[in-house]
Amino acid sequence: MMKSIFFGIVALMFAAVVMQQEQASAQYTNTDSSSESYKWDDMSNRCSAKLYGQIKMEFDASLFYLQYAAYFAQYNVSLPGFEKFFFNAASEEREHGIKLIEYALMRGQPDIVNENFSLAFGTAAEPEPEKREGKTKGSVALTALRKALEKEELVTKSIRELIKVCENDPNDYHLVDYLTGEFLEEQHQGQRELAGKITMLEKLLITNPMLGEFMFDKQNM
């Protein structure tokens, strides 16, 4: 009798252990399937596509400034202040592109591949003096600064459009805050600096048209 009771208890304990293992296994399977279907850091498709577009624009701007830097570094142009300014501008734009790539990867977005990212080198960017009534007038350096300001305005506009898309589709608070605080302020500061340099060079070219570029390059770049 005692043996029967003993073996009965052992059988019940064994059955209980088997049931617990089966329940644990089922729970693990459910957790696995739910984690596969859950996007751990979601971003809307429109916002993601616009973000990749902004990354491309940042690197395009970097290439644009590199070409300008190389132009002013030529022996027959030789304006080292403008050369240094545009090399620094190219580095800043490249850094912006890298920051956005790192952010996209932090948010679980796909890698940067040819399907979602490509750079258009286009034709070589060289600043040219303004032409009025068939005659060449103006300053190559002044044209370069004006083109740089136009480029920065395009980049700023693109960042604002990116913020608008990510704010409404649905509101991606973290990315919007990151772009507003990390990028927009620097964009506005850069535009203000370029606008100031353009005004100063314009005044200098009026008072000293022959040496204006050379003096500005030495003193203000």
Side-chain angles (χ1 to χ4, degrees):
M1 181 69 179
M2 293 296 295
K3 287 184 178 180
S4 299
I5 295 173
F6 174 77
F7 285 117
I9 293 173
V10 171
L12 287 172
M13 292 176 63
F14 180 78
V17 170
V18 171
M19 289 177 64
Q20 287 179 352
Q21 288 178 345
E22 290 176 350
Q23 289 174 355
S25 176
Q27 185 177 1
Y28 179 79
T29 304
N30 291 336
T31 304
D32 254 4
S33 61
S34 64
S35 64
E36 288 177 0
S37 61
Y38 173 69
K39 293 183 179 180
W40 55 270
D41 206 348
D42 196 17
M43 181 184 293
S44 74
N45 291 336
R46 288 184 69 239
C47 181
S48 178
K50 194 70 176 174
L51 177 59
Y52 282 114
Q54 186 62 40
I55 292 171
K56 180 182 181 301
M57 177 167 282
E58 298 290 348
F59 282 106
D60 278 336
S62 179
L63 289 173
F64 177 83
Y65 291 136
L66 278 174
Q67 292 180 85
Y68 268 30
Y71 173 83
F72 286 109
Q74 295 177 100
Y75 77 92
N76 56 344
V77 179
S78 193
L79 290 174
F82 280 88
E83 172 194 346
K84 181 180 178 182
F85 175 81
F86 282 112
F87 270 130
N88 288 339
S91 297
E92 288 179 5
E93 298 301 329
R94 184 176 66 251
E95 183 181 348
H96 292 169
I98 292 172
K99 282 183 176 181
L100 291 178
I101 289 175
E102 291 173 342
Y103 183 89
L105 295 176
M106 180 187 74
R107 293 291 302 275
Q109 298 305 297
D111 295 338
I112 303 297
V113 293
N114 291 335
E115 284 73 17
N116 57 24
F117 180 81
S118 63
L119 287 176
F121 287 85
T123 56
E126 290 188 4
E128 296 181 357
E130 297 176 351
K131 292 183 178 180
R132 298 176 183 174
E133 298 178 0
K135 297 180 180 179
T136 301
K137 295 183 179 181
S139 159
V140 174
L142 182 59
T143 301
L145 291 177
R146 287 173 175 165
K147 292 293 184 183
L149 181 56
E150 290 177 7
K151 177 65 71 174
E152 289 302 307
E153 289 172 349
L154 286 175
V155 173
T156 301
K157 181 181 178 182
S158 179
I159 293 174
R160 287 176 174 171
E161 291 173 352
L162 171 58
I163 290 173
K164 188 179 295 185
V165 168
C166 296
E167 191 175 32
N168 297 323
D169 189 41
N171 195 329
D172 195 319
Y173 300 100
H174 190 267
L175 177 54
V176 169
D177 182 66
Y178 178 67
L179 292 170
T180 304
E182 186 77 16
F183 285 83
L184 274 187
E185 183 174 355
E186 186 173 339
Q187 285 297 125
H188 292 314
Q189 289 175 350
Q191 289 174 200
R192 172 61 182 83
E193 180 185 0
L194 281 167
K197 288 183 181 297
I198 290 170
T199 301
M200 291 173 65
L201 181 54
E202 285 175 338
K203 292 178 179 179
L204 193 56
L205 287 171
I206 292 172
T207 57
N208 217 319
M210 299 301 294
L211 294 176
E213 279 188 359
F214 175 79
M215 294 171 61
F216 188 85
D217 182 78
K218 296 297 182 184
Q219 298 174 5
N220 302 104
M221 295 301 288

